[in-house]
Amino acid sequence: MHFITQSLNGRLLFAIPKKGRLAEKCLEVLAGADIQFSRAHRLDICLSTNQNIALIFLPAADIPSFVGKGDIDLGITGHDVILEAQMQSLVTETLPLGFGRCKLQVQVPEASPFKTVDDLAGKRVVTSFEVVAGEYFAKIDDRLGLVGDKRTKIQYIGGSVEAACALGLADGIVDLVESGETMRAAGLRAIETILETEATLIRSSTLRNQAHVALVEKITSRIAGVIATERYVLCQYNIVREKLAGVTNITPGRRAVTISPLEDGKWVAVSAMVEKKSVADIMDQLVAAGAEDVLILRLHNCRV
């Protein structure tokens, strides 16, 4: 450990969630960005073997504070965690990563008479997001003119928040919801979404070492490319030139389409990035508009 601590000198420090809903996907992002490392069992600090980077594996909830206070240069964590740590003014959210998406919702029992958050105001609310929930209900309490003991009571619980109502500890909860299955199984229903969140790449507003600026930009660009390959594919097709105007609006590309003339001067080849989720509809529209030889190619890596 002493050797590793000494080896941190001069390296960019990059914090990664050590476990939980973001951890596995973060390892895929690191691999796609070609940040190579070997992590010893149970060791939370390791050195990249091909970049001047040290990876620090931390609980996702701790990462905003370490980055915000300038102890670590880069990190991946959830947008919700940044708000809960009250670090939004001290970190820069450089890049939304498109995974770990969920909603922070206000939930009440199915049989509850409460239909809106105004109905729940002044009651007992259990959450592991004490800061965000407290600020949210404080605004509602103020608007409704609730004071003293009439204001909403926010109680912190570290886990299994969905059980609080059934145990008689709360009238409602505030918790992260991904698919909603856990909440439905606990007999809960949503009455409000406070915020939508996802994993995000963050950097310290004040880097420890200005010599790392170029490396931060390189790593950010690489990760942006990895995320783009998850979202986009390359669409290629041939079309008669006179029909070109009718198809470029179907595949406008991220900035513009690439158009190449074919040996037969009446035809052109078109290439554009399109979103994976829309591929089937796009192919149908292209064929209907006269496109031929429509191909979809997977992107293994890119820079965008």
Side-chain angles (χ1 to χ4, degrees):
M1 177 65 78
H2 178 64
F3 168 74
I4 291 180
T5 302
Q6 286 186 321
S7 300
L8 296 181
N9 294 331
R11 287 182 179 260
L12 178 80
L13 303 186
F14 191 172
I16 304 296
K18 65 187 296 184
K19 58 183 179 180
R21 61 190 179 90
L22 303 182
E24 184 176 344
K25 190 64 180 180
C26 286
L27 296 180
E28 295 177 14
V29 168
L30 293 178
D34 193 31
I35 299 174
Q36 301 174 18
F37 65 95
S38 178
R39 182 184 179 191
H41 180 61
R42 300 182 67 85
L43 194 60
D44 290 336
I45 299 175
C46 63
L47 308 180
S48 170
T49 57
N50 66 336
Q51 301 290 337
N52 189 31
I53 293 173
L55 298 174
I56 317 295
F57 292 87
L58 295 168
D62 293 341
I63 291 175
S65 295
F66 277 97
V67 175
K69 294 173 183 177
D71 299 315
I72 289 178
D73 305 297
L74 279 178
I76 294 177
T77 190
H79 173 67
D80 55 295
V81 177
I82 297 169
L83 298 180
E84 183 63 18
Q86 298 178 291
M87 286 289 143
Q88 57 267 39
S89 64
L90 297 177
V91 303
T92 300
E93 295 188 53
T94 306
L95 184 68
L97 299 178
F99 61 85
R101 286 182 173 145
C102 49
K103 299 176 181 179
L104 187 64
Q105 292 187 328
V106 183
Q107 300 256 344
V108 297
E110 284 285 359
S112 170
F114 306 132
K115 304 299 181 185
T116 68
V117 288
D118 284 11
D119 297 334
L120 186 60
K123 306 301 188 295
R124 301 168 303 159
V125 175
V126 162
T127 182
S128 56
F129 289 85
E130 191 174 16
V131 172
V132 175
E135 292 176 350
Y136 179 78
F137 275 99
K139 293 177 182 178
I140 295 173
D141 290 347
D142 289 343
R143 177 168 54 79
L144 296 177
L146 301 179
V147 296
D149 292 341
K150 299 295 184 181
R151 294 178 73 84
T152 307
K153 293 85 177 171
I154 305 295
Q155 181 180 345
Y156 174 83
I157 290 183
S160 300
V161 175
E162 69 279 359
C165 292
L167 294 173
L169 301 177
D171 301 297
I173 67 166
V174 172
D175 203 13
L176 287 177
V177 178
E178 190 170 356
S179 66
E181 290 183 9
T182 300
M183 297 302 174
R184 286 191 291 272
L188 300 173
R189 57 179 168 83
I191 58 172
E192 189 64 70
T193 296
I194 296 177
L195 62 88
E196 296 187 5
T197 182
E198 64 182 290
T200 180
L201 178 68
I202 62 174
R203 64 173 176 80
S204 175
S205 298
T206 53
L207 284 178
R208 297 176 310 114
N209 186 343
Q210 290 303 309
H212 289 153
V213 171
L215 182 55
V216 168
E217 292 176 351
K218 180 173 77 170
I219 296 305
T220 301
S221 176
R222 286 189 179 189
I223 292 177
V226 173
I227 300 306
T229 62
E230 295 287 328
R231 182 178 177 185
Y232 293 98
V233 291
L234 188 65
C235 179
Q236 295 181 338
Y237 55 91
N238 298 329
I239 188 86
V240 242
R241 190 180 292 274
E242 63 185 27
K243 294 182 179 179
L244 185 58
V247 294
T248 50
N249 64 326
I250 300 173
T251 58
R254 294 188 73 249
R255 291 185 177 84
V257 295
T258 300
I259 301 172
S260 307
L262 297 181
E263 188 171 344
D264 181 341
K266 295 180 180 179
W267 288 76
V268 293
V270 180
S271 177
M273 290 174 67
V274 299
E275 288 193 83
K276 282 182 181 181
K277 65 182 182 181
S278 305
V279 162
D281 288 338
I282 288 172
M283 294 178 75
D284 292 340
Q285 292 175 45
L286 288 173
V287 171
E292 297 185 10
D293 308 317
V294 183
L295 304 176
I296 299 297
L297 306 176
R298 180 181 177 184
L299 300 172
H300 290 284
N301 211 329
C302 66
R303 295 291 181 271
V304 291

